[in-house]
Amino acid sequence: SLKTLAVSDNQLSGTIPSAFFDPLVHTEFISLDGNYLLGTVPEGVNVLSRLITIDLSRNMFTGTIPSFALSSGLAIARFNENRFSDSAFACNRPNARLYVRDNDLRTFPLPADCLHSPRIIYGQSNRIEGVFNLSILQNTEEAYFQDNL
């Protein structure tokens, strides 16, 4: 069974069909960064219960960063340099690292009732508006939110 899938910088284009993730149920590392993938990330990714690292950076994904991002056993979730405008994160991965810089996020990437925020959050260069409750970050060691216009 496949543990690692790395297809970075291959000029792959188009959308990811939901069934794409079905045969990857034992995969621990997926890197699709640096391609031309677009549309939303399909909910089919939720079948990846053994996933530790996912890197979807440097594509053209839009919509909401899926809720799986910190709700499973993920330690590293990279969504940098896409066009995401919202996030739906669950917060039960206190040792995780979350990378969401250079997107179009308009809201703080963690829910207000977050009990276990990620250890490190990179949220630079988005469009985060309004005020967020800093107590959400009580377990976070590093949080970067510069250049949010």
Side-chain angles (χ1 to χ4, degrees):
S1 58
L2 186 66
K3 299 279 187 209
T4 299
L5 176 64
V7 288
S8 302
D9 300 309
N10 280 291
Q11 299 182 9
L12 300 176
S13 62
T15 59
I16 298 176
S18 221
F20 174 82
F21 296 106
D22 291 349
L24 303 175
V25 293
H26 299 289
T27 305
E28 297 173 354
F29 177 93
I30 294 178
S31 179
L32 299 173
D33 74 292
N35 287 293
Y36 298 99
L37 300 171
L38 51 89
T40 59
V41 177
E43 290 299 319
V45 74
N46 291 328
V47 302
L48 306 177
S49 60
R50 296 186 181 174
L51 194 62
I52 297 168
T53 299
I54 189 164
D55 190 347
L56 301 178
S57 298
R58 301 183 303 126
N59 281 289
M60 294 179 282
F61 290 114
T62 57
T64 300
I65 296 173
S67 59
F68 80 90
L70 291 176
S71 61
S72 64
L74 277 178
I76 299 173
R78 290 190 175 108
F79 301 103
N80 299 323
E81 299 178 46
N82 280 287
R83 296 177 182 161
F84 291 113
S85 58
D86 199 5
S87 61
F89 293 127
C91 295
N92 63 354
R93 300 300 307 154
N95 293 315
R97 288 179 275 171
L98 173 62
Y99 300 83
V100 291
R101 68 174 172 72
D102 295 313
N103 281 285
D104 287 325
L105 295 179
R106 299 192 188 289
T107 58
F108 187 66
L110 298 172
D113 61 350
C114 185
L115 298 177
H116 301 288
S117 59
R119 185 169 56 91
I120 301 171
I121 304 172
Y122 293 92
Q124 302 98 314
S125 301
N126 283 286
R127 296 180 181 186
I128 297 173
E129 302 169 343
V131 178
F132 55 86
N133 183 352
L134 290 178
S135 65
I136 294 171
L137 300 176
Q138 65 184 339
N139 299 316
T140 299
E141 294 175 14
E142 299 176 39
Y144 302 92
F145 291 99
Q146 303 94 320
D147 299 319
N148 281 285
L149 307 173

